[in-house]
Amino acid sequence: MSVVGFDLGFQSCYVAVARAGGIETVANEYSDRCTPSVVSFGPRNRSIGAAAKSQVVTNCRNTVQGFKRFHSRAFADPYVQSAKSNLVYDLAPMPSGATGIKVMYMEEEKVFSIEQVTGMLLSKLKETAESALKKPVADCVISVPSYFTDSDRRSVMDAAQIAGLNCLRLMNETTAVSLAYGIYKQDLPAPEEKPRIVVFVDVGHSGYQVSVCAFNKGKLKILATAFDLELGGKAFDDILVNHFCEEFGKKYKLDVKSKPRALVRLFQECEKLKKLMSANSSDLPLNIECFMNDIDVSGKLNRGQFEEMCAGLLTKVEGPLRSVMEQAKLKKEDVYAVEIVGAASRIPSIKERISKYFGKELSTTLNADEAVARGCALQCAILSPAFKVREFSITDVVPYSISLKWNSAAEEGLSDCEVFQKNHAAPFSKVLTFFRKEPFTLEGYYSSPKELPDPNSTIGQFLIHNVVPQASGESSKIKVKVRVNVHGVFSVSSASLIEVLKTAEGEEAIETDQPAKEEENKMHVDQEDHKHQCGENADNKSEAEEMETAEDAKQAKKNDQPPQAKKPKVKTKTVELPIESSLHGQLSDEALNVSVENEGKMIMQDKLEKERNDAKNNVEEYVYDMRDKLHGVLEKFVNEADRDTFSLRLEDTENWLYEDGEDQQKQVYIDKLAELKTMGQPICERYMEAEERPKAFEELGRLLQMYMKIVEAYKAKDELYDHLDELEVTGVEKHAKDAMIWISSKMNQQNNQDLTLEPAVKVGEIQAKIKELYSACNPVVSKPKPKVEPPKEENTENGPVNEQEATESQSCNPDKATSAGMEQGAAENKLPEMDID
Ligand code: ATP
Ligand code: MG
């Protein structure tokens, strides 16, 4: 399985992977670890990430960015409508009423769902992870803001599925940061000690998130979260853009907002200016050439002025900080550290305000840009059997109170009950009991809609089917399990009917829970307590809670006291009941399947288009390369007439590329290149031959001279070679002489050959000759001298003669010969054994 974490940011994304060496943030095809959250649609393909960002100005209407907060939003939602007026691309309603993105793609108008667009971005991130890991990626952990509602989360899960990802956990961004912080800390308090309290602040592009977390050795527990969606880097950009729109309106009489391209450029420049102001407090210029109507514009600003403009925005910094402290009932003195992340946390005035609120220096021990992705990859590694990671338990919170409502049989009206209060530990399951005679519906909803970022508070309806009365005609006991899962998504996950079987005569039919049928680690909540929780609701008789994390499950086990254990037992049977869920904003199965299929098709189309483009670029590159070389290095190797013809053909091709050849099928370009190469290749080959030929001749010359020297030494009775066989040495001499004749005849022929014609001898032939000579002569000359045991006394004076000789005779094995690609003889030195593992 793959171990990958994706930080799916509003403005940019990061990918972290786990490898043997640890967690690593990986770079995309542009060697950049940051991938812009941008998708651009073109007449033939899509571009995603950095390639799409480069089209933000040139193809602004079909280049989509800033869509993260459209997840699960209705088109009619006020946020969508207000965002729409500031976007340069178009939004349109999906058939379901959800927000869609309208673009021209493949020369057709298309409306893509947000799940599809995020799916496209995730496909790109998946590709980045795959090329880093060099294997397919599916299993992963993806980040979402802690304020995302159920439907937002389900929407991101669908996007992951569209991208072919298996998201093991949707992780809250600040929780991922907490994990990235805590898992490496060796000095956390012991489990029984007072936890270490750390506040995490993430200032991103779209918003500001704060969480407070309690750390003990081996675990982290989020205590509370808060957010402000008006306070992110984007809000500062908006202020700057509005300021310069006004200024340029007055100064140059330009209506910037009427021209999408100009507006996009202004956004880019304002963002740059904002970043510069973080590091610099002096006056900084903003210049844009040919901004609108051929007018160059310029302005300037300094940090002091900027902070004045943003004073209102900056007052928002404190609210979420105060909120988490109040929710967690903590005092500022309880806080051990305040860690800030998110690229916009670099804005000095934000840092100052956070620091002032807590009365302490902020910590920046984490990588502000990459901490979320790294935390996600760590979580994925914890979930993966392939990695050994330190035990670390993560308990998150339910961000908004969740209630259930239903038609109450007893009261003939609506009843409701809060099942998860805000900041309840998550993931978590609870079991509720109902007494019913017929199928019934539970509706999940957020009970404090004012806290939500989305005006919709419905989570979904859950219809419990197949409910029937007991044989006696009484209501049946229905156990309903509700849970907030690892993704932070609420559901009615199972329901069962407890059927009372016929009891033995005289025995009272009081049924008890069946511990065997229920999960082991269950905490039964006191009935009284429960009544208190659910008010006057007569239907809802008992509740059991179950923490899904290992830690709390252990804790829960201690409290595992079936409340009615003393009552006489009767036989009961548990019948699982089907649940029909109708979830708010959920993409239909059919729409999801179609999207999965379409994503596959679009990936294929992008691949084909890339191949087509590569084929076209190859033609273009060849034309430029040849044109340069025909009057450079290749000049000598082609006659004038051929050069003129080829030059003309290259010029025609260049023109063709801008005209008829601008937009052709891949094969047309492949054929075109092949056609050019039939003219160019022989010239290039002659050039290559001329380059390589002298080296090959030299090598052959060196070899045969060496053999001739050995033959002469043999003839001169040199004792180094006196063990060689005469006949064989004669053979060596003959081979060397033949080679000498061959080389001089070939050199002669080649010297008389015009360079514009086929060479008289090819490098390949010379190399073959080298090989032939080597295999004929080397076994003879490298024969080792037989060992003679010298008398002991002489040995001390003359040294190890034999060894020396052996070494020298081996030295006639020419290094150069081996480089010509021949196999080494058995008599040669053995290579040391190498442990390639
Ligand atoms: P979100 O977390 O909201 O989904 P994101 O993760 O894409 O968004 P980040 O990458 O954390 O957001 O932050 C991007 C914001 O940070 C942008 O507004 C960018 O202009 C801003 N930013 C980046 N560098 C600086 C800087 N040096 N000074 C001020 N702002 C900066
Ligand atoms: Mg972020």
Side-chain angles (χ1 to χ4, degrees), residues 9-12 68 204-206 233 271 274-275 278 342-344 347:
F10 187 93
Q11 189 185 48
S12 34
K68 177 168 166 176
H205 191 56
S206 62
E271 195 189 355
K274 173 186 74 175
K275 290 182 184 173
S278 293
I347 297 177

Side-chain angles (χ1 to χ4, degrees), residues 233-443:
K234 188 174 176 306
F236 292 86
D237 296 347
D238 289 343
I239 290 178
L240 285 176
V241 167
N242 284 334
H243 165 78
F244 284 108
C245 278
E246 212 173 289
E247 185 173 318
F248 297 156
K250 280 189 204 142
K251 200 163 154 188
Y252 304 102
K253 307 272 173 291
L254 294 175
D255 178 9
V256 183
K257 292 195 174 165
S258 67
K259 284 259 166 61
R261 267 177 79 133
L263 192 59
V264 171
R265 287 182 72 193
L266 185 59
F267 261 104
Q268 287 182 337
E269 293 306 315
C270 284
E271 195 189 355
K272 276 187 214 158
L273 180 67
K274 173 186 74 175
K275 290 182 184 173
L276 285 174
M277 284 192 292
S278 293
N280 209 317
S281 57
S282 57
D283 274 357
L284 294 167
L286 180 135
N287 300 316
I288 314 178
E289 279 178 18
C290 263
F291 182 53
M292 271 175 83
N293 314 339
D294 286 338
I295 297 174
D296 300 344
V297 294
S298 65
K300 62 176 185 185
L301 204 69
N302 63 41
R303 194 197 289 168
Q305 293 163 325
F306 179 49
E307 285 176 0
E308 249 171 59
M309 284 178 203
C310 301
L313 201 54
L314 289 166
T315 58
K316 289 174 166 286
V317 171
E318 227 182 273
L321 303 175
R322 199 178 317 114
S323 167
V324 286
M325 297 301 282
E326 282 170 11
Q327 290 179 56
K329 299 189 178 60
L330 289 169
K331 294 191 286 295
K332 288 175 193 168
E333 309 83 81
D334 299 328
V335 175
Y336 174 88
V338 182
E339 278 285 335
I340 52 163
V341 294
S345 68
R346 297 183 177 103
I347 297 177
S349 46
I350 294 190
K351 282 196 284 198
E352 272 160 29
R353 280 170 192 251
I354 301 172
S355 167
K356 192 168 154 223
Y357 177 81
F358 287 103
K360 59 161 47 112
E361 284 285 304
L362 303 180
S363 321
T364 47
T365 52
L366 295 166
N367 181 317
D369 301 309
E370 299 169 13
V372 173
R374 297 176 73 87
C376 289
L378 275 166
Q379 169 70 87
C380 197
I382 291 173
L383 295 172
S384 160
F387 275 83
K388 227 176 122 190
V389 188
R390 193 173 304 148
E391 279 277 307
F392 209 85
S393 128
I394 301 148
T395 309
D396 215 311
V397 286
V398 174
Y400 314 107
S401 311
I402 298 172
S403 292
L404 276 180
K405 63 180 168 201
W406 61 89
N407 264 318
S408 161
E411 293 169 11
E412 290 181 0
L414 270 183
S415 289
D416 63 5
C417 170
E418 187 171 271
V419 281
F420 289 105
Q421 72 207 82
K422 184 181 170 83
N423 294 336
H424 192 292
F428 209 97
S429 294
K430 293 184 179 187
V431 177
L432 309 172
T433 306
F434 294 85
F435 288 88
R436 291 301 168 116
K437 289 181 181 165
E438 52 197 29
F440 62 106
T441 300
L442 296 170
E443 184 179 323

